[in-house]
Amino acid sequence: MAGAKRKGKNAIWRKIHALRYEDFKLWCVRRLPVLEWAPNYNWKADLLPDTISGMMLAVQQVTQGLAFAVLSSVHPVFGLYGSLFPVIIYAIFGMGRHVATGTFALTSLISANAVERLVPPMSSNFTANNNSTVLGLSEFEMQRIGVAAAVSLLGGLIQVAMFVLHLGSATFLLTEPVISAMTTGAATHVVTSQVKYLLGMKMPYISGPLGFFYIYAYIFENIKSIQLEALLLSVLSIVILVLVKELNEKFKGKIKVVLPIDLVLIVATSAACYYADMKHSYGMEVVGHIPEGIPLPRSPPMNILPEVITEAFGVALVGYVASLALAQASAKKFNYSVDDNQEFLAHGLSNVIPSFFFCIPSAAAMGRTALLFSTGAKTQVACLISCILVLVVIYAVGPMLYWLPMCVLASIIVVGLKGMLVQFRDLKKYWNVDKIDWSIWVSTYIFTICFAANVGLLYGVVCTILIVVFRFPRATTLSLKHMKEVECRFKTEADSESLQAVKIVSVNNPLVFLNAKKFHMDILKIIQKESTCAQQLPEDMNKYEQNTLLSPLSNGNCHGESSLQQWPSERHSLILDCSGLTFFDYTGISVLTQVFMIHHVHFIVSTLFYSVTVFCLGQTPTKSTVPNSR
């Protein structure tokens, strides 16, 4: 008896341990996405495109690393470290398989405020000749990177804290117009910060409220100090970069490897600057000495953390918002999912850990992510391959960049921001869909220009919430007392597939950013449920009629009307009753569009044919069909 009890207890404990092991395993896979995609990596099919993409990415990582380090007011070599360590950390913890993390213009611009405020030029007790024990750099440079690393550390800790608090679920507050306006305004700030290099001018660091306008006022007041040689080289570089990149994009389907124009331009201008001795002959500013190797890790100065908390919050919010938008776009394009909360952890650790290796704040960049899209990258292996090449630059090629003109580096930055700057074209679609979203975009952009990216982001979120709160009570109520039962009759056509089932979904609330995501998920659940049921039906029914009275929706949920019968065929219909849709914003319209597109993707896999019909009161029903590719 006692032996049997012991055996029973041992069996229970084994089950408990097995469950704990499985739970721990699932937790590890959820928090370490590398454990999910790395074991399933297809070496034969994916290694070649990842290698090509990684080589192309390394060129941009090096050039943007140098440029964004200068933008962050630190020595250029620290930008190379920022193109290495955050990439490795994000590859382990991040879920965006086509997201290129590293140095980022917006976070560099924010951290520069702290650097210039705490370690201003010529105010330090250290001189350029007073070298430190790290890489032979001056104590002045080490003080500056210490401030930037402190901003990265505290910003990363804030992101990790947001992960712990599960604030990733609050990202629905970040609507597309707000993100678009904020990133466009911040990109405009970055371009403005590079004007002094493009023109070859010497000018003090200008920041703060309305600093954008003060910079251009200073330029016009000192317009005679423009260096003609730097201006001509900047214009030539921008023209070449834009032209070649457009040609690469146009003919990318016909050529296997695009021309790395950034690398070619760097090599050509560096050689020309060296042989023509432009530094001494024309006074052209160059990158200067790039030390070799990676120093031992060192903790950022903890005593200045309270003084950089404003910039740290800016880095945490702006970097995360811009990176999450790219991760979601990547997931949508390549049909996989991204956990908003996990991205907080990934980007937080990508800022915390590299801060001990003299790195500036990091985030995902649009230009580099677009490069991975266009060059056919498959996984994060492309980013890891780029890290190997960045290491080669750090240990071998770095000193050769001494003669790279700063105006060329600034030109590369400006052209790299093209993807953000062209978001001005979004204004047309916002105007056509919802003029209130258009006004939010414009006002958020103005606030970003006048103040800063984090201020513009906060204004956009608050403004969006207030407008929705104001619009909800003013939503119109429809009178249905004269409404009759709606009869929907579906018959088999001779030249088409027979109709299998009808699903009617009623929308009786405003469709805005607050409930758009839930609406999307409810629609998908309804369709998946119906497609599962349809595969279990008999095959001898091909003709039917159905009478349905559309009923309203409550509490913002989506409920499908139960079909009276189920019919066997290879065609389904989804009817969206939008008679109760009192108003919508751009996010709501985007979700409706995504519903249509996702049906197409999902049901090609299920070998089903889905048609989507939208009924609106007072309008003729319209019908669109998603064809089965098979």
Side-chain angles (χ1 to χ4, degrees):
M1 178 78 67
K5 288 183 177 180
R6 281 197 300 270
K7 288 182 180 179
K9 289 182 179 179
N10 291 336
I12 293 173
W13 278 111
R14 282 196 298 269
K15 290 181 179 179
I16 293 175
H17 286 302
L19 288 174
R20 289 178 178 175
Y21 173 75
E22 289 298 324
D23 291 341
F24 178 74
K25 184 178 178 181
L26 290 174
W27 182 88
C28 288
V29 172
R30 191 166 63 250
R31 297 303 170 216
L32 297 170
V34 66
L35 298 178
E36 181 178 357
W37 62 263
N40 301 317
Y41 186 74
N42 191 333
W43 292 90
K44 292 183 178 180
D46 297 343
L47 184 59
L48 180 60
D50 279 344
T51 302
I52 296 174
S53 297
M55 294 172 64
M56 301 296 296
L57 177 62
V59 176
Q60 281 204 6
Q61 288 279 28
V62 170
T63 55
Q64 292 186 1
L66 295 172
F68 295 156
V70 174
L71 182 61
S72 192
S73 298
V74 299
H75 193 280
V77 71
F78 299 119
L80 296 179
Y81 304 154
S83 300
L84 175 64
F85 294 104
V87 180
I88 298 174
I89 302 301
Y90 184 82
I92 298 173
F93 294 94
M95 299 188 70
R97 302 173 194 170
H98 302 80
V99 175
T101 307
T103 56
F104 184 44
L106 308 189
T107 54
S108 297
L109 191 64
I110 294 172
S111 66
N113 293 331
V115 172
E116 294 287 347
R117 188 181 74 252
L118 298 178
V119 192
M122 306 304 295
S123 66
S124 176
N125 295 326
F126 302 99
T127 64
N129 295 325
N130 189 3
N131 292 338
S132 69
T133 57
V134 181
L135 300 174
L137 297 175
S138 67
E139 286 290 345
F140 174 71
E141 294 290 355
M142 297 310 300
Q143 280 188 337
R144 290 202 146 196
I145 187 57
V147 174
V151 174
S152 178
L153 173 64
L154 188 55
L157 291 175
I158 292 172
Q159 290 174 326
V160 173
M162 291 178 173
F163 159 76
V164 174
L165 297 174
H166 293 277
L167 294 183
S169 58
T171 54
F172 68 89
L173 295 173
L174 304 172
T175 61
E176 183 178 330
V178 172
I179 296 175
S180 174
M182 184 273 294
T183 53
T184 306
T188 308
H189 272 296
V190 174
V191 171
T192 300
S193 70
Q194 298 302 299
V195 170
K196 63 180 181 180
Y197 298 114
L198 296 173
L199 302 179
M201 294 181 64
K202 301 289 184 182
M203 61 182 297
Y205 181 80
I206 301 175
S207 64
L210 304 180
F212 174 85
F213 302 100
Y214 290 137
I215 290 175
Y216 286 103
Y218 182 91
I219 291 173
F220 283 113
E221 289 175 0
N222 300 271
I223 197 168
K224 293 183 179 179
S225 63
I226 292 178
Q227 191 177 32
L228 185 59
E229 295 82 5
L231 176 60
L232 293 176
L233 185 56
S234 299
V235 172
L236 181 62
S237 300
I238 291 175
V239 170
I240 293 174
L241 286 169
V242 172
L243 181 62
V244 176
K245 286 179 182 289
E246 288 295 328
L247 291 175
N248 283 340
E249 183 67 23
K250 184 177 181 179
F251 297 104
K252 66 180 180 180
K254 299 180 180 179
I255 54 178
K256 294 183 178 180
V257 181
V258 297
L259 178 65
I261 185 58
D262 302 68
L263 179 62
V264 173
L265 187 64
I266 287 174
V267 173
T269 54
S270 298
C273 185
Y274 172 75
Y275 287 109
D277 196 16
M278 293 182 182
K279 180 181 178 181
H280 301 101
S281 300
Y282 304 106
M284 187 170 292
E285 188 176 359
V286 296
V287 170
H289 174 63
I290 303 292
E292 299 178 10
I294 299 175
L296 295 175
R298 176 190 293 183
S299 173
M302 301 297 177
N303 59 312
I304 66 171
L305 291 183
E307 301 181 58
V308 300
I309 190 168
T310 302
E311 288 80 8
F313 266 104
V315 164
L317 295 177
V318 174
Y320 172 76
V321 169
S323 302
L324 180 64
L326 294 175
Q328 290 175 339
S330 168
K332 187 186 301 183
K333 183 178 180 66
F334 296 99
N335 197 26
Y336 59 88
S337 62
V338 170
D339 184 352
D340 297 351
N341 208 50
Q342 177 66 20
E343 290 298 290
F344 261 131
L345 176 64
H347 289 290
L349 295 179
S350 297
N351 277 310
V352 171
I353 298 175
S355 68
F356 292 85
F357 293 89
F358 306 96
C359 292
I360 59 179
S362 65
M366 181 181 292
R368 297 195 300 267
T369 302
L371 176 69
L372 291 180
F373 287 1
S374 62
T375 54
K378 302 298 183 181
T379 65
Q380 285 282 5
V381 171
C383 297
L384 296 177
I385 290 174
S386 74
C387 291
I388 298 175
L389 299 178
V390 171
L391 271 176
V392 173
V393 173
I394 291 174
Y395 279 95
V397 185
M400 301 180 187
L401 299 173
Y402 180 96
W403 294 98
L404 176 61
M406 288 297 300
C407 61
V408 174
L409 205 55
S411 301
I412 293 174
I413 293 178
V414 171
V415 175
L417 293 171
K418 177 190 172 185
M420 292 184 180
L421 295 174
V422 297
Q423 291 179 131
F424 280 109
R425 295 183 299 190
D426 294 344
L427 285 171
K428 181 178 180 181
K429 66 180 182 182
Y430 296 137
W431 180 266
N432 292 334
V433 174
D434 187 4
K435 293 178 176 56
I436 292 180
D437 276 343
W438 180 90
S439 64
I440 291 176
W441 196 103
V442 173
S443 58
T444 301
Y445 176 80
I446 293 174
F447 261 77
T448 304
I449 288 296
C450 293
F451 300 100
N454 50 348
V455 177
L457 179 64
L458 179 61
Y459 164 82
V461 171
V462 172
C463 185
T464 303
I465 294 175
L466 291 178
I467 288 177
V468 170
V469 170
F470 176 75
R471 293 174 77 181
F472 261 103
R474 297 171 63 89
T476 57
T477 303
L478 298 177
S479 175
L480 303 179
K481 66 178 182 178
H482 297 301
M483 195 173 174
K484 297 181 180 180
E485 180 178 338
V486 179
E487 180 180 354
C488 302
R489 186 182 299 268
F490 301 92
K491 294 184 178 180
T492 303
E493 297 178 8
D495 58 345
S496 65
E497 303 177 52
S498 58
L499 201 61
Q500 178 170 358
V502 177
K503 198 68 182 177
I504 300 175
V505 177
S506 180
V507 186
N508 198 35
N509 267 339
L511 186 57
V512 294
F513 70 96
L514 292 172
N515 62 349
K517 187 173 182 179
K518 187 177 187 305
F519 171 84
H520 191 184
M521 297 304 298
D522 288 346
I523 288 288
L524 293 183
K525 287 178 183 178
I526 290 170
I527 295 173
Q528 290 169 359
K529 179 180 178 181
E530 289 304 303
S531 63
T532 302
C533 296
Q535 296 175 359
Q536 304 173 356
L537 300 175
E539 299 182 356
D540 57 346
M541 301 174 65
N542 57 14
K543 194 173 183 180
Y544 65 91
E545 291 183 4
Q546 178 182 8
N547 295 327
T548 307
L549 180 64
L550 302 181
S551 64
L553 174 72
S554 63
N555 298 327
N557 296 323
C558 301
H559 301 288
E561 295 297 309
S562 299
S563 300
L564 299 179
Q565 307 177 52
Q566 297 290 348
W567 300 274
S569 187
E570 296 187 359
R571 188 171 185 174
H572 285 207
S573 286
L574 172 67
I575 299 175
L576 295 181
D577 171 27
C578 298
S579 58
L581 183 58
T582 52
F583 68 86
F584 51 82
D585 62 4
Y586 182 80
T587 305
I589 291 298
S590 298
V591 165
L592 287 176
T593 305
Q594 290 176 30
V595 167
F596 179 83
M597 299 305 296
I598 290 179
H599 292 173
H600 176 68
V601 173
H602 176 77
F603 287 103
I604 283 179
V605 177
S606 303
T607 67
L608 296 175
F609 189 99
Y610 228 92
S611 70
V612 180
T613 306
V614 180
F615 284 119
C616 295
L617 284 180
Q619 298 180 5
T620 304
T622 59
K623 183 176 180 180
S624 58
T625 304
V626 183
N628 188 328
S629 63
R630 300 186 182 182

